[in-house]
Amino acid sequence: MQNFRLRLREILDRLQEKWLQWKASHPGWIRAYTVFSMVSLLVFLLSLFFFEDARKIFVQFLWSLYLLWQFWILARSKTFTWKTYSAFFLVGAWVIPFITQGFVAIIHLLFGGEPSDWWSIAVVTPIVEEIFKLLPLFVYLWLSRRATALSLSDYALIGAAVGGGFQMMEEVARRLASGKIWGYGFSIWDGQVIHWEFFDLFPGYFESSYFATEMMSGHAVITALTALGVGLGIRWRRKGGRAFLLVPLFLLFWAVLDHAVWNDSGGDLPEWINKLHDALGSGYYAEPALLILLALGIFLDYRDMNRIGDRLPRLPGERVIHPFGELRHLFWAFLADPRLLAQSLLFVQDRKQLAFSLLGAETVFDKGYKRKREEALSRGLDRHREQMLAIIGTFALLGLVLTVVIAGAAASAETACFACLFDSLANWWEGLDGWEQGLIFLGALALGWWLFGGLQLAFTILTTLISIAENGHAIARFLRNPLAETRTWWNQWSRLTPAQRLQVAASTLLSAALHRFGGAAIKKTIRFAKRHYNSVFRADNDFYSKTRPSQSGKTEIPKAHLDEMGNLIPANPNGRASITEHILNINKHDSPYISTTSEQGISKRYGKQRIQIDLDKLQEAISKGEVQAEIIGQDRIIQELKQSLEMKKQELNQLIQRENYSKRRYDKLIESIIKLENAIENTRRDKEILIKGIVPNRFISGPENLN
């Protein structure tokens, strides 16, 4: 397992290096992306004036950002950058909810019931959600080279970011479902239940405003508490043994207990659980416990930093490294010269990274990397003393607005369970006009720029999320009956040829990319393509004629035709002509192939009549042995043509190396190369598909006359 982890790390490192090299060698794309981002950002800002849903989403985003900044400011011993912090937030918003949803569905598949049952809401969902919210932390600890160089504040930030992202997903859904901007989360019997207030520490908690006897802290708080417990358990285990691993287990149990009791609105949980919940503060002790443990973690972090203080650079007049001294220095640096603040911020940040890199060096497997990291950080500290660097975090602040796109999950405001949102999500998205969807897409894409640092990643994530919104009903059907939906999908997929499967995948990707812009014409085009991906077309002036005139009109060329029974017959069903010969009209009398196209409109170029062939049913009959034929997709045709082209080019190179080569032979090779290149382009243009053999009439519709 250790070798596998190291190999996986090396692969990820190489991929990252190649990505950075590509960006450095393509500055034009970066400039074009910048221009597009500015335009898209302007469109998004305009949408706030015209769309109420956009304003609802933006309000929740600002609250979530405010919550993130509270944790960011309190975690004084952090070594994370804002970019890394934001990445965990996005994972919590876009990955964990759907993994949780799938796991809950598997449980119901095995044990029955529905996600709306009380035992699912009050027992299964709290356990699954609280465990799965820790998954990004464990993956990071297992894969990242910095796993042994984390401060305890870093653990808390990971939990806060993942939990904050998860809650962002839920709260946006509730705001859209409630139909209100400011008054959502209100109940007649309990008053205001969900609290987002500016002067609250860690807003987003759940508590009745009428008769408050219990509460539940927001996901950011309880996940940060559990993650910090994981960090303390790992830190203390090195000194005190495995017994300290009980600390994170207890905190995880506490988080699940608070979540379960709050979700149990009907009071169906056993009485002893409620008594245990009361003994642990009825949800009111979670925030104080987090603050106490965070303060303890910061104290332990700075104590360890001072233990190796002789190996760390110091600020002017600094004898002991502590957070208050750093804050005082940053404050005076800002008053003296704002440009000095950027330099000081980076100095403090890099010093912490260097300190925990040194502290964790003895537990790192690849020490060569650790040594290189220490040297790089030391050079960075010296550089920060000599030059001014820009204040960090501005781009990330705007980039987080990309998460507003997840608002499509219009959930019920009655429960904290995240298990039943997809139908409402699809209804919300389908209720928007095409141009509204397009504006939301453009604005969110622009704001995702700053966070992801590239168009491709932002575009991919955004289109994936909107595809989830579009297919909400299908996802809901799958979650209700996974076996039946999987069986139906597999039956449809297994009947397709490899070429058809590629066409379906390409159609799906194209739809995901273009459908976002909300153009009615694009929508119709994608729907048309999906409807016809299993059909091909062929046009002719006279389908019952066995020949057609050549371009010169002097000769007749054999061709595919319909016989008296309506079967489609190639020029020679038993012929031996190759694919290349068929495409180039060579030995056409010996061709067993029939040319067709997957595009209905293209067929008009080749005749006044058209037939349609049901490729799906034909392939099914071929697979069963009922029809002796073969379907050859565009990729294979082009591959054959390219192989012939390469052979001609090699033959040409060998010819011109001779001193006295034949000019006539040279001209013929040049002519063949040109024909092959044109054939490749024409095959792509016409989306040509070949059928080898006879096509029975039951798979053919037409012929019909074309206007």
Side-chain angles (χ1 to χ4, degrees):
M1 182 62 69
Q2 178 63 28
N3 291 333
F4 172 74
R5 178 171 67 166
L6 293 177
R7 286 197 298 269
L8 186 57
R9 281 180 178 178
E10 293 175 358
I11 293 173
L12 294 175
D13 288 342
R14 286 197 297 269
L15 291 175
Q16 182 182 21
E17 184 178 355
K18 290 181 179 179
W19 169 246
L20 294 175
Q21 291 175 353
W22 186 91
K23 288 201 302 184
S25 60
H26 295 80
W29 284 98
I30 304 301
R31 289 191 292 269
Y33 182 48
T34 303
V35 174
F36 177 75
S37 176
M38 295 300 102
V39 176
S40 301
L41 177 60
L42 177 61
V43 173
F44 174 77
L45 294 177
L46 290 175
S47 72
L48 297 177
F49 294 95
F50 298 103
F51 306 120
E52 183 181 1
D53 285 343
R55 294 192 291 273
K56 294 177 186 178
I57 296 169
F58 191 65
V59 166
Q60 182 56 51
F61 159 71
L62 292 177
W63 278 120
S64 298
L65 180 63
Y66 177 58
L67 176 63
L68 288 180
W69 273 105
Q70 287 189 350
F71 279 97
W72 182 257
I73 293 171
L74 289 175
R76 297 314 313 160
S77 59
K78 59 183 176 291
T79 67
F80 274 174
T81 63
W82 179 264
K83 183 177 180 180
T84 304
Y85 185 41
S86 302
F88 280 104
F89 175 80
L90 297 177
V91 171
W94 296 348
V95 178
I96 301 304
F98 303 106
I99 296 178
T100 303
Q101 182 83 351
F103 193 81
V104 170
I106 293 174
I107 291 177
H108 285 290
L109 178 64
L110 297 175
F111 300 101
E114 297 291 336
S116 57
D117 295 341
W118 81 266
W119 62 270
S120 177
I121 296 175
V123 180
V124 175
T125 296
I127 295 174
V128 172
E129 287 185 356
E130 297 308 325
I131 292 177
F132 275 68
K133 284 187 294 181
L134 295 176
L135 185 61
L137 171 62
F138 293 134
V139 172
Y140 187 81
L141 292 176
W142 191 69
L143 278 180
S144 175
R145 296 182 183 274
R146 292 198 61 240
T148 57
L150 295 181
S151 68
L152 292 174
S153 289
D154 292 333
Y155 285 93
L157 286 181
I158 292 175
V162 175
F166 190 92
Q167 187 167 1
M168 167 86 177
M169 193 74 159
E170 288 189 341
E171 298 309 311
V172 167
R174 291 192 182 96
R175 287 186 184 273
L176 294 175
S178 68
K180 302 176 183 179
I181 297 181
W182 304 108
Y184 90 110
F186 185 86
S187 169
I188 297 177
W189 305 109
D190 296 318
Q192 189 67 35
V193 177
I194 308 174
H195 300 270
W196 292 93
E197 299 172 7
F198 184 78
F199 292 104
D200 278 342
L201 181 63
F202 308 137
Y205 59 91
F206 301 82
E207 182 186 32
S208 171
S209 60
Y210 289 163
F211 305 101
T213 59
E214 62 184 18
M215 71 167 289
M216 173 185 156
S217 299
H219 286 286
V221 172
I222 56 180
T223 310
L225 179 62
T226 309
L228 182 54
V230 172
L232 288 170
I234 293 174
R235 182 76 62 87
W236 287 337
R237 181 195 173 190
R238 299 170 186 170
K239 300 179 181 180
R242 295 184 177 181
F244 285 102
L245 293 180
L246 294 175
V247 174
L249 293 177
F250 169 74
L251 295 177
L252 176 61
F253 170 77
W254 191 1
V256 171
L257 181 65
D258 281 359
H259 196 163
V261 173
W262 179 261
N263 279 10
D264 181 35
S265 57
D268 296 316
L269 288 173
E271 183 62 26
W272 67 269
I273 292 182
N274 290 305
K275 290 183 178 180
L276 180 60
H277 182 249
D278 293 338
L280 291 175
S282 299
Y284 289 96
Y285 291 172
E287 286 189 13
L290 172 63
L291 292 174
I292 292 172
L293 289 181
L294 183 59
L296 174 63
I298 294 172
F299 169 77
L300 295 176
D301 285 340
Y302 276 93
R303 185 196 64 179
D304 291 341
M305 288 175 63
N306 282 283
R307 184 164 55 85
I308 59 169
D310 58 329
R311 301 168 63 184
L312 300 176
R314 301 296 181 97
L315 292 167
E318 186 181 38
R319 295 184 178 180
V320 178
I321 301 174
H322 59 89
F324 300 106
E326 291 175 345
L327 289 173
R328 183 180 68 250
H329 176 81
L330 295 175
F331 175 74
W332 288 112
F334 175 75
L335 294 181
D337 187 351
R339 295 174 298 178
L340 185 60
L341 177 63
Q343 174 187 343
S344 300
L345 281 170
L346 287 173
F347 173 83
V348 171
Q349 183 77 11
D350 282 358
R351 182 171 67 176
K352 293 172 185 174
Q353 291 184 5
L354 175 61
F356 287 98
S357 178
L358 294 171
L359 288 168
E362 63 272 14
T363 60
V364 174
F365 291 99
D366 29 357
K367 298 180 180 179
Y369 167 81
K370 183 62 64 174
R371 183 173 58 256
K372 293 179 181 178
R373 178 172 178 79
E374 293 172 11
E375 295 173 355
L377 287 172
S378 297
R379 290 194 300 269
L381 290 169
D382 295 336
R383 185 173 65 255
H384 297 327
R385 290 191 184 97
E386 300 172 357
Q387 62 183 10
M388 179 202 73
L389 298 176
I391 299 177
I392 57 176
T394 303
F395 289 150
L397 175 62
L398 294 176
L400 280 174
V401 183
L402 179 60
T403 56
V404 301
V405 180
I406 65 176
S412 170
E414 298 178 357
T415 176
C417 173
F418 195 80
C420 311
L421 303 179
F422 289 101
D423 277 323
S424 299
L425 166 61
N427 292 334
W428 172 80
W429 183 254
E430 292 170 358
L432 298 175
D433 292 334
W435 62 279
E436 292 176 314
Q437 296 175 356
L439 288 178
I440 290 176
F441 174 78
L442 289 175
L445 180 64
L447 292 172
W449 194 316
W450 283 278
L451 187 59
F452 300 123
L455 175 63
Q456 183 179 1
L457 182 57
F459 187 85
T460 300
I461 293 177
L462 185 56
T463 52
T464 300
L465 292 174
I466 299 181
S467 295
I468 292 172
E470 289 179 327
N471 297 285
H473 295 306
I475 297 173
R477 289 196 303 270
F478 174 80
L479 295 175
R480 294 187 184 102
N481 197 340
L483 287 179
E485 288 295 314
T486 303
R487 191 179 300 112
T488 300
W489 177 86
W490 180 252
N491 290 338
Q492 295 174 351
W493 181 258
S494 61
R495 291 197 298 267
L496 300 179
T497 66
Q500 288 175 299
R501 293 172 185 173
L502 289 175
Q503 292 174 30
V504 173
S507 175
T508 303
L509 293 175
L510 182 62
S511 174
L514 299 181
H515 198 46
R516 315 298 144 243
F517 294 98
I522 295 177
K523 292 181 181 179
K524 293 179 181 178
T525 302
I526 298 300
R527 286 198 294 268
F528 178 86
K530 289 180 178 179
R531 234 182 6 253
H532 290 82
Y533 74 86
N534 59 344
S535 296
V536 291
F537 306 89
R538 177 176 172 85
D540 201 338
N541 289 323
D542 184 0
F543 275 102
Y544 295 94
S545 174
K546 296 183 179 181
T547 61
R548 65 173 176 84
S550 63
Q551 291 183 353
S552 64
K554 297 179 180 180
T555 59
E556 293 289 325
I557 300 177
K559 68 177 182 64
H561 60 279
L562 294 175
D563 64 8
E564 62 276 4
M565 301 298 295
N567 302 316
L568 185 59
I569 313 295
N572 185 354
N574 299 316
R576 297 184 178 182
S578 66
I579 293 176
T580 299
E581 289 175 332
H582 173 85
I583 297 297
L584 297 179
N585 290 323
I586 301 174
N587 297 330
K588 207 61 179 281
H589 64 279
D590 198 32
S591 173
Y593 301 102
I594 302 170
S595 293
T596 65
T597 174
S598 59
E599 284 290 338
Q600 188 175 14
I602 291 176
S603 60
K604 294 181 180 181
R605 304 173 186 169
Y606 296 98
K608 299 177 181 179
Q609 296 178 328
R610 179 175 59 207
I611 60 174
Q612 179 175 342
I613 303 172
D614 192 328
L615 212 61
D616 189 16
K617 293 182 179 179
L618 176 60
Q619 180 59 49
E620 183 178 359
I622 294 172
S623 301
K624 293 180 179 179
E626 299 174 358
V627 176
Q628 300 300 317
E630 180 184 2
I631 299 172
I632 301 171
Q634 186 187 73
D635 289 343
R636 181 178 164 188
I637 299 172
I638 293 177
Q639 182 181 5
E640 294 278 346
L641 293 172
K642 286 184 175 179
Q643 289 177 356
S644 300
L645 177 62
E646 187 63 29
M647 292 174 61
K648 293 295 182 183
K649 288 182 176 180
Q650 292 178 2
E651 189 176 349
L652 178 63
N653 289 333
Q654 294 174 0
L655 179 66
I656 61 178
Q657 289 176 3
R658 303 174 186 173
E659 294 183 1
N660 299 315
Y661 60 83
S662 170
K663 184 68 168 58
R664 182 179 179 182
R665 180 59 180 161
Y666 174 85
D667 292 338
K668 284 187 176 182
L669 286 174
I670 292 296
E671 182 181 0
S672 298
I673 289 173
I674 294 174
K675 285 183 178 180
L676 285 167
E677 290 176 342
N678 291 336
I680 292 172
E681 293 302 319
N682 293 338
T683 301
R684 288 197 180 102
R685 180 199 65 193
D686 295 343
K687 297 178 174 56
E688 187 165 3
I689 295 175
L690 297 181
I691 300 175
K692 183 179 182 181
I694 300 174
V695 180
N697 57 11
R698 68 178 184 270
F699 305 110
I700 301 172
S701 301
E704 61 178 348
N705 293 323
L706 300 176
N707 295 327

